[in-house]
């Protein structure tokens, strides 16, 4: 089995390398595949000539990358990277940083000037792309893509929408695209990253019905707290758990029951759409709306009655996932992407979605799909052509799939035609992907690749179907799009957004835990005005209007 897996891996990587690095081979291609082209060229920074892989002389590159908590700390322990090194003669010295610490530690590296050759999954915000691209910290990739990245160039030629989305206002591409297309518009998989799940066994045990309003849900939480639904005779039940101010799992999804869904993100990204909604073409700030105040006031009563997990403010992936796997089941409801991540696949069978409450507004988020914060090459790199060609390997569909999910034999099977098909017997795909994927920040999987890679997991398709059934009917009709702001707008956002977001998130947490929003609301609004909320919203409105005009 091991030998068979190795042969399949080698075949997939060789296919990628033939596409991304072999010279003088011009077979016809179609769709999203790039035509094989020559990767010859002189390294303008004084490196060796680069014609094709494997290199005649080994090259070592230094890379910094985010990693999931369950992934190996050295990506060279990943079979895909090991095989890629054999086929390219490129060795990578990895500095991997746990995702939750990545931005802070990456920023320390940038401030110190101790740059790697490249970031695999840079997670640069638009502000940072413009800043570090402008000062030369990261280099433009346009020419490298044209000359040394035929896989990616083929994608961008076939998908001008993706090329436009990753091109900065100055015309340069500073970071590579990454992502997976699963659905589109309101039916896209990331349109609502926050599902409220409930323990059906506990509802049945206490003879409770599925709640349809916030008041009914409150009554369920109170019953979970006092009714000993796990039957162990201890007062250890946690009626609701979540992760405060996170990309998924945040309690702001419930603010929609008061007409103003709220979305935050930890750690702060200056261009992330913290607390923004769009109403009739106008960009509005949720924390200025009466519905926000009403939601905070209402939910603070849950904290007063100890119905909510106080560790919500300190959770990371590891502690949150452990919450549902205690010997005696202790949680009654949770907000998260996939119930099985927290509850585990066996218990997950009795966890069900809570449909949005009557008249609840579901936020239409801008998550998922393709992003522009993938890999970036720094000015310290003496082998940019080699690095670009090495990175281009991950834009061949089979390589992209294995890098983003896991290798053949572990995550995928390969059918007689060579198509990769996801295994159907994966016990806990959420945790497994953390362990087996190299990175979610590299490669693209697009609708045009589905004939080669069946990358849409059954649980992903199930999520899309659930979202269409339960959430899309009550979803906002407008959203703030993935705007690439111009330099003037970014200057305003960079100056104002971090402090305003931090202030709102701090006050929201304070009011949820201790109350007082009614008494401090006017002062809060005045402080937002003094901090420049009107100027911040004007910058977002300018970017939004330009984006919408370009669509017409």
């Amino acid at each position: 089995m091991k030998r068979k897996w190795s042969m399949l891996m080698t075949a997939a990587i060789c296919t990628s390398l033939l596409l991304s690095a072999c010279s003088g081979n011009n077979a016809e291609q179609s769709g999203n595949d790039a035509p094989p082209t020559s990767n010859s060229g002189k390294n303008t920074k004084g490196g060796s000539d680069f014609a094709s892989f494997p290199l005649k002389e080994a090259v070592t590159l230094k890379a910094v990358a985010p990693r999931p908590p369950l992934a190996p700390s050295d990506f060279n322990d990943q079979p895909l990277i090991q095989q890629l090194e054999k086929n390219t003669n490129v060795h990578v010295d990895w500095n991997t940083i746990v995702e939750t610490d990545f931005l802070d530690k990456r920023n320390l590296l940038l401030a110190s000037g101790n740059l790697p050759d490249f970031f695999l999954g840079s997670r640069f915000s638009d502000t940072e792309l413009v800043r570090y691209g402008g000062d030369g910290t990261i280099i433009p990739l346009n020419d490298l893509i044209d000359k040394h990245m035929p896989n990616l160039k083929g994608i961008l030629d076939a998908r001008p929408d993706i090329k436009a989305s990753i091109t900065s206002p100055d015309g340069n591409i500073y970071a590579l695209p990454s992502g997976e297309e699963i659905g589109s518009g309101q039916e896209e998989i990331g349109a609502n990253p926050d599902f409220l799940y409930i323990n059906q066994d506990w509802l049945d045990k206490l003879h409770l019905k599925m709640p349809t309003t916030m008041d009914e849900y409150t009554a369920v939480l109170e019953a979970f707290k006092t009714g000993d639904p796990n039957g162990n005779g201890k007062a250890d039940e946690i009626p609701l758990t979540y992760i405060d101010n996170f990309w998924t799992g945040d309690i702001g999804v419930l603010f929609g029951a008061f007409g103003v869904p709220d979305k935050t993100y930890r750690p702060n990204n200056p261009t992330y759409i913290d607390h923004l909604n769009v109403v009739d073409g106008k960009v509005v700030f949720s924390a200025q709306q009466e519905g926000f105040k009403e939601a905070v006031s209402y939910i603070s009563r849950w904290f007063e009655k100890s119905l909510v997990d106080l560790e919500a403010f300190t959770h990371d992936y590891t502690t949150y996932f452990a919450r549902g796997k205690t010997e005696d089941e202790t949680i009654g409801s949770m907000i998260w992407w996939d119930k099985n991540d927290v509850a585990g696949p066996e218990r997950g069978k009795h966890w069900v979605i809570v449909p949005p409450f009557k008249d609840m507004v579901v936020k239409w988020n801008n998550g998922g799909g393709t992003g522009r914060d993938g890999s970036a090459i720094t000015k310290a790199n003496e082998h940019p052509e080699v690095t670009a060609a090495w990175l281009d390997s991950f834009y061949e569909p089979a390589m992209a799939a294995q890098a983003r999910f896991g290798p053949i034999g572990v995550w995928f099977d390969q059918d007689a035609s060579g198509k990769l098909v996801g295994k159907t017997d994966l016990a806990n795909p959420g945790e497994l992907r953390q362990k087996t994927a190299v990175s979610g920040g590299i490669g693209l999987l697009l609708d045009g690749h589905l004939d080669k890679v069946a990358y849409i997991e059954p649980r992903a398709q199930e999520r899309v179907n659930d979202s269409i059934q339960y959430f899309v009917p009550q979803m906002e009709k407008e959203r703030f799009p993935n705007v690439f702001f111009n330099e003037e707008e970014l200057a305003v956002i960079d100056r104002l957004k971090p402090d305003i977001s931090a202030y709102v998130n701090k006050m929201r947490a304070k009011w949820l835990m201790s109350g007082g929003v009614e008494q401090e609301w006017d002062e809060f609004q005045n402080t937002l005005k003094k901090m420049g909320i009107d100027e911040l919203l004007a910058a977002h409105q300018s970017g939004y209007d330009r984006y919408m005009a370009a669509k017409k």
Side-chain angles (χ1 to χ4, degrees):
M1 176 65 188
K2 195 172 184 180
R3 182 171 179 272
K4 180 182 178 184
W5 177 87
S6 178
M7 291 173 66
L8 291 170
M9 179 74 73
T10 301
I13 294 177
C14 285
T15 299
S16 170
L17 297 179
L18 283 169
L19 285 170
S20 64
C22 293
S23 59
N25 186 357
N26 294 312
E28 266 185 39
Q29 298 287 323
S30 61
N32 284 327
D33 291 335
T37 63
S38 170
N39 258 336
S40 61
K42 181 76 175 178
N43 186 329
T44 57
K45 299 191 71 170
S48 58
D49 284 330
F50 172 57
S52 64
F53 289 135
L55 301 177
K56 292 181 180 179
E57 296 183 9
V59 166
T60 296
L61 301 172
K62 294 182 178 180
V64 170
R67 64 175 170 88
L70 302 181
S73 59
D74 186 352
F75 284 174
N76 287 318
D77 292 338
Q78 296 278 29
L80 195 70
I81 298 298
Q82 294 170 1
Q83 193 64 51
L84 187 57
E85 180 173 346
K86 291 179 182 178
N87 284 274
T88 62
N89 208 15
V90 174
H91 176 77
V92 180
D93 285 339
W94 293 100
N95 174 9
T96 66
I97 302 168
V98 176
E99 288 177 333
T100 50
D101 299 330
F102 179 71
L103 292 188
D104 287 340
K105 293 186 177 180
R106 183 209 64 187
N107 290 343
L108 288 174
L109 282 172
L110 289 163
S112 72
N114 184 22
L115 295 174
D117 292 312
F118 69 98
F119 291 93
L120 185 82
S122 67
R123 299 195 178 175
F124 285 132
S125 68
D126 291 354
T127 301
E128 291 165 335
L129 289 174
V130 170
R131 178 195 308 158
Y132 294 127
D135 68 15
T137 300
I138 55 177
I139 65 173
L141 304 176
N142 306 51
D143 288 345
L144 290 171
I145 292 171
D146 286 343
K147 297 176 182 177
H148 302 288
M149 304 189 72
N151 286 318
L152 178 56
K153 185 177 187 303
I155 290 173
L156 299 184
D157 287 347
R159 291 288 302 272
D161 59 318
I162 296 177
K163 184 174 183 179
S165 75
I166 65 174
T167 302
S168 71
D170 69 4
N172 286 318
I173 296 171
Y174 293 113
L176 301 179
S178 66
E180 303 151 22
E181 284 188 332
I182 304 176
S184 62
Q186 290 183 311
E187 298 179 4
E188 194 270 327
I189 194 168
N192 175 22
D194 306 295
F195 281 15
L196 176 62
Y197 293 100
I198 201 162
N199 189 327
Q200 184 67 54
D201 275 5
W202 284 17
L203 289 177
D204 295 341
K205 174 81 176 292
L206 300 178
H207 306 290
L208 299 170
K209 294 180 179 180
M210 178 68 69
T212 62
T213 66
M214 284 289 276
D215 287 345
E216 289 178 5
Y217 182 50
T218 300
V220 167
L221 296 180
E222 291 172 340
F224 284 173
K225 181 69 177 178
T226 60
D228 191 26
N230 65 8
N232 66 1
K234 303 176 184 177
D236 56 355
E237 285 82 3
I238 302 169
L240 170 64
T241 190
Y242 70 98
I243 296 188
D244 190 74
N245 192 17
F246 204 61
W247 73 270
T248 181
D250 180 65
I251 204 167
V253 66
L254 298 180
F255 286 32
F258 300 86
V260 184
D262 190 41
K263 187 64 182 173
T264 68
Y265 184 46
R266 183 183 72 207
N268 286 333
N269 176 338
T271 53
Y272 189 77
I273 55 169
D274 284 9
H275 310 291
L276 292 182
N277 293 305
V278 179
V279 180
D280 296 330
K282 182 180 179 182
V283 182
V284 297
F285 198 64
S286 62
Q288 291 184 298
Q289 311 302 308
E290 283 295 314
F292 181 97
K293 179 176 73 172
E294 293 170 8
V296 171
S297 178
Y298 187 100
I299 295 173
S300 69
R301 300 170 203 162
W302 296 352
F303 284 85
E304 184 181 351
K305 297 178 181 179
S306 300
L307 305 179
V308 185
D309 188 357
L310 288 180
E311 291 192 21
F313 299 95
T314 57
H315 276 317
D316 58 19
Y317 281 113
T318 304
T319 57
Y320 195 60
F321 287 2
R323 259 294 183 242
K325 300 179 181 70
T326 51
E327 183 176 355
D328 290 329
E329 193 166 19
T330 57
I331 56 175
S333 62
M334 61 178 160
I335 306 169
W336 192 243
W337 179 269
D338 183 342
K339 61 184 180 179
N340 289 335
D341 289 342
V342 181
E346 186 58 39
R347 285 179 177 170
K349 295 175 183 176
H350 62 253
W351 281 81
V352 296
I353 291 171
V354 180
F357 303 135
K358 186 178 184 296
D359 298 326
M360 184 174 184
V361 177
V362 176
K363 184 166 183 60
W364 182 8
N365 288 271
N366 205 23
T370 60
R372 52 176 169 260
D373 59 351
S375 298
I377 298 175
T378 76
K379 64 182 181 182
N381 193 318
E382 296 185 353
H383 306 279
E385 289 90 349
V386 172
T387 306
W390 187 90
L391 290 168
D392 191 55
S393 302
F394 295 99
Y395 289 91
E396 189 277 323
M399 283 288 286
Q402 292 176 84
R404 296 183 65 82
F405 290 93
I408 297 168
V410 176
W411 189 281
F412 292 101
D413 289 322
Q414 195 168 30
D415 67 17
S417 70
K419 180 177 180 178
L420 300 193
V421 181
K423 287 179 171 290
T424 58
D425 57 349
L426 300 176
N428 192 338
E431 287 193 9
L432 180 65
R433 184 173 181 179
Q434 285 200 45
K435 297 174 183 177
T436 61
V438 175
S439 172
I442 185 68
L444 284 170
L445 291 171
L446 307 172
D447 288 342
H449 296 153
L450 287 170
D451 61 335
K452 298 174 184 174
V453 181
Y455 63 86
I456 300 179
E457 304 171 65
R459 68 170 185 151
Q461 189 59 57
E462 181 182 0
R463 180 184 182 82
V464 171
N465 296 341
D466 286 339
S467 186
I468 293 170
Q469 177 182 351
Y470 294 114
F471 300 103
V472 169
Q474 292 180 219
M475 191 173 285
E476 293 175 315
K477 303 307 178 187
E478 300 170 280
R479 67 171 172 178
F480 194 89
N482 190 17
V483 174
F484 207 139
F485 294 100
N486 64 32
E487 193 167 359
E488 292 77 17
E489 292 157 355
L490 286 170
V492 172
I493 293 168
D494 194 38
R495 174 167 52 88
L496 299 176
K497 183 70 172 291
D499 289 342
I500 289 177
S501 289
Y503 173 64
V504 172
N505 294 338
K506 180 186 76 172
M507 295 304 294
R508 195 187 78 160
K510 172 192 172 185
W511 290 330
L512 286 174
M513 289 190 290
S514 306
V517 63
E518 297 92 343
Q519 293 81 7
E520 299 177 16
W521 182 252
D522 290 342
E523 180 184 353
F524 174 67
Q525 297 304 321
N526 290 333
T527 301
L528 287 177
K529 291 282 188 181
K530 293 176 184 177
M531 295 179 78
I533 187 62
D534 292 337
E535 187 181 0
L536 180 64
L537 286 175
H540 283 87
Q541 188 72 55
S542 173
Y544 176 84
D545 290 343
R546 185 176 62 255
Y547 176 93
M548 297 303 291
K551 286 184 65 178
K552 294 179 180 178

